[in-house]
Amino acid sequence: MKVTILLPTLNEEGGIGPTLDSLDRAAFAREGWDLELLVVDGASTDRTKEFAEAKGARVVVDARRGYGRAYKTGLAAATGDVIVTGDADGTYPFDQAHRFVKHLLTHGRDFLSGDRYGRLEPGAMSRKHRFGNWVLSSSARALFGLALRDSQSGMWVIRRTALPKLDVDSLADGMAFSQEIKIRAIRRLGGRFEEIPATLRPRIGEPVLSSWRDGLGNLRRLFALRLRRE
């Protein structure tokens, strides 16, 4: 079996190395799993690509901007049977990635989503971001009747065989991709979706997203999705 670690990047030269270094490669080897490191880079102007390749990653450059756009490119390019996603800024617990994959396999799941509130470290999320995430997650629960605690988490574990059911190319190109893929997974995969506790750590480097613009955009997409009866 092969596991792909999929990371979208844009000017993450400070975080890409530590993120890839945090993987417990020996644990993957003990399980007999091959490991593919895949970075989808949005034409960074720093040394992100160079640092990623130095750590053994295959880098696909896609100059079309957008969080969702990067994931569409990466999910199509991934060759692993299981795909683990997350940000390349040190925030997500890639040191536990092998355990999440094991959970997916032993519990018969197709999609795991990491709940960042499960183990939220001090300084990992500002009050503004915590409020915005609460608004978006609460709205997703109310609009779609979902038992989803963290709609904005970017750490997922997905079986590649489940991707055709999710039709990811029809999802948002921007930040709203994260909430939309979870909503679709819950609705189309049923009990083969599970939300599990995951750590969130303080970020390495400066953020590249615009909190208010992206947050309001995500909220508009939620209502649009509900009107389309997704």
Side-chain angles (χ1 to χ4, degrees), residues 13 16 30 52 58 80 123 183 214:
E13 67 176 13
I16 185 65
R30 285 194 298 270
R58 173 166 64 101
I183 291 168
D214 290 327

Side-chain angles (χ1 to χ4, degrees), residues 144-158:
F144 296 93
L146 306 177
L148 184 62
R149 190 179 186 205
D150 184 6
S151 68
Q152 304 303 304
S153 171
M155 189 166 210
W156 323 312
V157 185
I158 312 168

Side-chain angles (χ1 to χ4, degrees), residues 23-24 27-28 30-31 33 94-103:
L23 288 162
D24 190 341
F28 283 91
R30 285 194 298 270
E31 295 289 349
W33 301 335
F94 281 100
D95 55 323
Q96 302 298 311
H98 59 286
R99 295 183 179 176
F100 296 153
V101 173
K102 189 77 169 180
H103 184 102

Side-chain angles (χ1 to χ4, degrees), residues 114-136:
D115 170 16
R116 298 170 297 172
Y117 298 102
R119 302 182 185 94
L120 188 62
E121 293 189 1
M125 188 183 295
S126 68
R127 289 183 180 179
K128 178 177 68 175
H129 287 163
R130 190 178 295 204
F131 174 73
N133 286 323
W134 174 82
V135 169
L136 291 168

Side-chain angles (χ1 to χ4, degrees), residues 3 8 16 47 86 100 107 126 140 168 172 176 178 201:
V3 178
I16 185 65
R47 294 175 292 172
F100 296 153
H107 290 79
S126 68
V168 295
S178 180
R201 297 164 179 153

Side-chain angles (χ1 to χ4, degrees), residues 9 34 68-69 71 79 93 128 180 223:
T9 59
D34 294 328
R69 180 66 262 166
Y71 270 120
T79 62
K128 178 177 68 175
E180 291 181 11
F223 281 94

